[in-house]
Amino acid sequence: MKQPKMTDVAKVAGVSPTTVSRVINRRGYLSEKTINKVEEAMRQLDYRPNIVARQLQSQRTMTIGILVPTVANPFFGELTFKLERYFFDAGFKVLIGNAENDIKKERLYLQQLLARQVDGLVIATHNHQQQIPEYQNTNMPVVSIDRYLHETIPNVSSDNYAGGRLATEELIRRGAKHIIHTDSIERFNKRDYLRQRAYQDVMKEHGLEPITYKIDFDSRPELMNQFFNRIFDEHPEVDGIFVSNDMDAIQLLQVARQRGMTVPSDLQVIGYDGVPTTTRIVPELSTVVQPLDEMAKTAVKLLQKEIKGEKVTGSYKLPVKLRVSSSLK
Amino acid sequence: MKQPKMTDVAKVAGVSPTTVSRVINRRGYLSEKTINKVEEAMRQLDYRPNIVARQLQSQRTMTIGILVPTVANPFFGELTFKLERYFFDAGFKVLIGNAENDIKKERLYLQQLLARQVDGLVIATHNHQQQIPEYQNTNMPVVSIDRYLHETIPNVSSDNYAGGRLATEELIRRGAKHIIHTDSIERFNKRDYLRQRAYQDVMKEHGLEPITYKIDFDSRPELMNQFFNRIFDEHPEVDGIFVSNDMDAIQLLQVARQRGMTVPSDLQVIGYDGVPTTTRIVPELSTVVQPLDEMAKTAVKLLQKEIKGEKVTGSYKLPVKLRVSSSLK
């Protein structure tokens, strides 16, 4: 069968080829009736405007690449969902890559996406940026989420320092005296660990001794169990824990329960993230809520500016809030 | 600055332009050393092969569209993660769209993606397919996940009937006498509800009366709470519940706990899905595990066949297994 042409569509719809083109590109005034006639004719002939060819002309793909560790993690699932929503509203489609803590896979994605397949990138991966030279010398518009990539690349995050202060101050205010902080060791070069620094500052301001334990991000459940059991063995006096992410905090609640501890009377717990899905599954967890919706909106806006040719750099720290639930007294 | 050409890359790398082209397209024998030299030269010059132009020549985009309700839901997050992994291994990139139970958004995606932006589609949305004419008359390769779209479109799912039998038989075997089933009302035209049918068949085979309650898929937490409270009010004798998805089952466990019921001694519970993330968060939930990895692999294989021009239709039902945990006696 011969591929139908725009003139065939025009004939069937009883309009001019210019009108067909205007319907396809949604250009100029068009009545609902004309749009329907042309779309019906397109459907009838199975005519598809060649968008790839048009993109080549405009040098735009109207597509954004998003790289995350994995959308299977509720935090990155929610982030990807929100980014896609706002990019869609802005007329962009979204290519998703799960870098899976695999530097080779991240580099392969970057090399291919940088080859003009996308107009811009949002990066939220956890691999070590020093081992990914593509970030050092790209002309591609890029925004990173909660990680520093390069001085030319703007970074959007929750206000990690304010969040760390909020959590620690709340535990103290509610009577906890022996507060421990657990943080993840990131595979990327995390220069600041601001949630931890805030915890340490608040503890010192109150004359309390800060104690931080660290474990690899997204460790296997058995390792997490050992990790929290070790903390309880080494610090039987602990009565408050600020955990740097909710997935870890949920496992901590399980370990505490297994050891016969009662939350919050024996132990008060605050996590970090506050993604709707995990909050729905574990509503008892108090947590510092990241403004994921605002973060996604901001990332989309910044990337659009870069795509238009504006120079954008710096850090965009968005305000957090505390969600108080029954894991606090 | 002038855009660098392939001949510039060849000069810097000290190889012929043909070799540069072979490296870009990974064609023919290439030593590690040659690849490194060429890639280094490409980086140095910030040279990007124009993939869009090459795609236009080949009529292939090497991109697949995946439409789900939302990747923020752990089931679809995991499914998307697995699909992306196997498509990546097969050389494809993945465009993701969250249809969000919004028929207009799903149709907009379809119209744009059908316009040659992708080589094929995987559809796992929950909107009513009768209201989406694009599925009725497309030449585009499509595979659906756990939902019937059209007789020409192959469908991959877990063996829902076997899963429903497995759950119900297990509850009976472990002594439950008053077993209720809760199922979701889907927005799409779900013709079979096989998990429910299997529950009914097994109950009747054992001389027990089947009782099914239904609620909209992905309802708000407050509605879910009312829903489960109503079941307990109307059936105080209930001692076993088979819930058609884990997110609902988790909320049921919360309601049972609030009412002072003890799981499993007062009430045994089996869910459906068994996604690693939810299992990690709520390890006590027994559930029918969908073979998501196999389902993703199968969908990728089928779609590749369709893209090569093979005709593929029919249903592919993959075997489930039971995960027994402390929500069962």
Side-chain angles (χ1 to χ4, degrees):
Chain A
M1 200 185 79
K2 239 185 62 186
Q3 203 77 314
K5 291 204 184 66
M6 205 184 274
T7 46
D8 302 325
V9 176
K11 210 173 287 171
V12 171
V15 300
S16 70
T18 314
T19 302
V20 175
S21 162
R22 280 170 54 219
V23 168
I24 291 169
N25 296 294
R26 292 287 189 272
R27 214 184 296 122
Y29 170 75
L30 294 158
S31 72
E32 189 70 23
K33 207 176 133 201
T34 308
I35 294 174
N36 287 342
K37 269 198 301 188
V38 172
E39 290 195 335
E40 181 50 40
M42 283 167 64
R43 226 179 345 261
Q44 207 177 304
L45 297 170
D46 196 29
Y47 171 81
R48 297 181 198 149
N50 195 331
I51 288 189
V52 174
R54 287 194 285 129
Q55 282 169 353
L56 188 65
Q57 271 182 320
S58 74
Q59 299 277 16
R60 282 282 174 85
T61 63
M62 295 311 285
T63 305
I64 302 297
I66 298 180
L67 298 186
V68 294
T70 162
V71 285
N73 174 300
F75 179 82
F76 295 106
E78 185 75 21
L79 176 67
T80 303
F81 167 63
K82 295 284 189 182
L83 285 170
E84 184 271 350
R85 177 186 277 179
Y86 294 120
F87 277 123
F88 181 84
D89 290 346
F92 291 93
K93 259 168 242 70
V94 153
L95 267 172
I96 177 83
N98 300 298
E100 293 193 50
N101 304 315
D102 176 346
I103 287 184
K104 252 172 104 177
K105 193 173 176 192
E106 183 162 345
R107 289 197 62 191
L108 261 166
Y109 259 118
L110 283 170
Q111 287 161 11
Q112 297 177 353
L113 295 180
L114 292 173
R116 297 198 197 144
Q117 289 200 313
V118 294
D119 296 343
L121 288 170
V122 177
I123 305 295
T125 51
H126 276 206
N127 294 320
H128 199 303
Q129 64 271 33
Q130 298 299 337
Q131 292 167 15
I132 304 178
E134 285 77 7
Y135 291 126
Q136 311 303 315
N137 52 7
T138 172
N139 296 323
M140 170 78 71
V142 182
V143 171
S144 71
I145 306 282
D146 203 20
R147 60 221 357 88
Y148 174 85
L149 286 179
H150 192 258
E151 56 182 17
T152 57
I153 297 176
N155 170 41
V156 177
S157 68
S158 72
D159 190 336
N160 289 307
Y161 186 80
R165 284 201 72 97
L166 195 61
T168 316
E169 279 165 355
E170 192 70 16
L171 285 167
I172 292 173
R173 210 172 64 74
R174 289 178 188 258
K177 301 260 178 279
H178 306 282
I179 303 167
I180 287 176
H181 173 53
T182 69
D183 206 349
S184 5
I185 304 166
E186 301 293 358
R187 288 180 196 81
F188 59 99
N189 177 18
K190 192 160 183 166
R191 303 185 303 179
D192 41 19
Y193 285 98
L194 290 172
R195 297 175 199 172
Q196 179 189 345
R197 203 188 293 170
Y199 157 79
Q200 290 171 334
D201 288 352
V202 172
M203 291 293 278
K204 283 178 196 153
E205 285 164 26
H206 285 79
L208 299 168
E209 188 204 352
I211 301 169
T212 300
Y213 279 75
K214 292 207 179 192
I215 185 164
D216 279 338
F217 178 76
D218 213 9
S219 289
R220 283 179 298 114
E222 310 83 67
L223 279 179
M224 290 300 310
N225 278 359
Q226 281 173 27
F227 174 71
F228 286 121
N229 271 306
R230 184 158 68 84
I231 293 177
F232 289 128
D233 289 341
E234 292 177 2
H235 292 280
E237 77 284 5
V238 61
D239 57 1
I241 302 192
F242 164 40
V243 185
S244 70
N245 72 74
D246 285 346
M247 285 298 283
D248 288 3
I250 288 164
Q251 292 221 252
L252 163 66
L253 291 176
Q254 289 166 9
V255 172
R257 207 180 303 146
Q258 280 156 17
R259 291 177 72 105
M261 297 169 81
T262 306
V263 173
S265 58
D266 300 336
L267 180 74
Q268 301 193 74
V269 177
I270 298 186
Y272 203 104
D273 285 344
V275 170
T277 308
T278 35
T279 297
R280 183 166 185 167
I281 300 178
V282 188
E284 64 268 31
L285 179 64
S286 308
T287 190
V288 177
V289 181
Q290 297 208 47
L292 263 179
D293 195 72
E294 268 313 309
M295 287 164 64
K297 250 188 222 166
T298 305
V300 171
K301 263 190 223 155
L302 292 175
L303 200 61
Q304 280 186 280
K305 279 191 186 176
E306 289 186 62
I307 290 168
K308 280 183 199 143
E310 280 184 51
K311 202 177 157 172
V312 183
T313 55
S315 286
Y316 298 77
K317 296 177 193 205
L318 303 178
V320 294
K321 59 177 189 227
L322 193 68
R323 178 181 184 276
V324 175
S325 186
S326 59
S327 71
L328 286 173
K329 267 184 202 163
Chain B
M1 200 186 77
K2 238 185 62 188
Q3 203 79 313
K5 289 202 187 68
M6 205 185 275
T7 47
D8 302 324
V9 176
K11 210 173 284 170
V12 171
V15 300
S16 70
T18 315
T19 303
V20 175
S21 162
R22 280 171 54 221
V23 168
I24 291 168
N25 296 294
R26 292 286 189 272
R27 215 184 295 121
Y29 171 75
L30 294 158
S31 72
E32 190 69 21
K33 208 177 131 197
T34 308
I35 293 174
N36 288 341
K37 268 197 303 189
V38 171
E39 291 195 334
E40 179 50 40
M42 284 167 64
R43 223 174 354 257
Q44 207 178 307
L45 297 170
D46 195 28
Y47 171 80
R48 297 181 200 151
N50 195 331
I51 288 189
V52 175
R54 287 194 285 131
Q55 283 169 351
L56 188 64
Q57 271 182 318
S58 74
Q59 299 277 19
R60 284 280 174 85
T61 63
M62 295 311 285
T63 304
I64 302 297
I66 298 180
L67 297 186
V68 295
T70 162
V71 285
N73 174 299
F75 179 82
F76 296 105
E78 184 75 23
L79 175 68
T80 304
F81 167 63
K82 295 285 188 181
L83 285 170
E84 184 271 348
R85 178 185 276 180
Y86 294 119
F87 277 125
F88 181 84
D89 290 346
F92 290 93
K93 260 167 242 68
V94 153
L95 268 172
I96 177 86
N98 300 299
E100 294 191 51
N101 304 316
D102 175 347
I103 288 184
K104 250 172 106 177
K105 193 173 175 191
E106 183 162 346
R107 290 197 61 189
L108 260 167
Y109 259 118
L110 282 171
Q111 286 160 11
Q112 296 177 355
L113 295 180
L114 291 174
R116 297 201 197 145
Q117 288 199 315
V118 293
D119 297 342
L121 288 170
V122 177
I123 306 294
T125 51
H126 277 207
N127 294 321
H128 200 302
Q129 65 270 33
Q130 298 300 339
Q131 292 168 16
I132 304 178
E134 285 77 7
Y135 292 126
Q136 312 303 316
N137 52 6
T138 172
N139 296 322
M140 170 77 72
V142 181
V143 172
S144 70
I145 305 283
D146 203 18
R147 62 222 353 89
Y148 174 85
L149 286 179
H150 191 257
E151 56 182 15
T152 58
I153 297 176
N155 170 41
V156 177
S157 67
S158 72
D159 190 338
N160 289 307
Y161 186 80
R165 286 201 72 97
L166 196 61
T168 315
E169 280 166 354
E170 192 70 17
L171 286 166
I172 293 173
R173 210 173 63 75
R174 290 176 188 260
K177 302 258 175 282
H178 305 283
I179 304 168
I180 287 175
H181 174 54
T182 69
D183 206 350
S184 4
I185 304 167
E186 301 293 357
R187 289 179 195 81
F188 59 100
N189 176 18
K190 192 161 182 162
R191 303 184 303 179
D192 40 20
Y193 285 98
L194 290 172
R195 298 175 198 173
Q196 179 190 345
R197 201 188 295 169
Y199 157 80
Q200 290 170 334
D201 288 353
V202 172
M203 291 293 278
K204 284 178 197 152
E205 284 162 26
H206 286 79
L208 299 168
E209 189 204 350
I211 301 168
T212 300
Y213 279 75
K214 293 208 178 193
I215 184 163
D216 279 339
F217 178 76
D218 213 9
S219 288
R220 284 179 299 113
E222 310 82 70
L223 279 179
M224 290 299 312
N225 278 358
Q226 281 174 27
F227 174 70
F228 286 121
N229 272 306
R230 185 160 67 84
I231 293 177
F232 290 126
D233 289 341
E234 294 178 2
H235 292 279
E237 77 285 5
V238 60
D239 58 1
I241 303 192
F242 164 41
V243 186
S244 71
N245 73 74
D246 284 346
M247 286 298 283
D248 288 3
I250 288 165
Q251 291 220 256
L252 163 66
L253 291 176
Q254 290 165 10
V255 172
R257 206 180 303 145
Q258 281 157 17
R259 290 177 73 105
M261 297 169 81
T262 306
V263 173
S265 57
D266 299 338
L267 180 74
Q268 302 193 75
V269 177
I270 298 186
Y272 203 104
D273 285 343
V275 170
T277 307
T278 35
T279 298
R280 184 168 184 164
I281 300 179
V282 188
E284 63 268 30
L285 179 63
S286 308
T287 191
V288 178
V289 181
Q290 297 208 47
L292 262 179
D293 195 72
E294 268 313 309
M295 286 163 65
K297 251 187 221 167
T298 305
V300 171
K301 263 189 224 155
L302 293 175
L303 199 60
Q304 281 187 279
K305 279 190 188 178
E306 288 186 63
I307 290 168
K308 282 183 198 143
E310 281 181 51
K311 202 178 157 171
V312 184
T313 56
S315 286
Y316 298 78
K317 297 179 191 202
L318 303 178
V320 294
K321 58 177 191 230
L322 193 69
R323 180 182 181 275
V324 175
S325 187
S326 59
S327 70
L328 286 174
K329 271 186 200 161

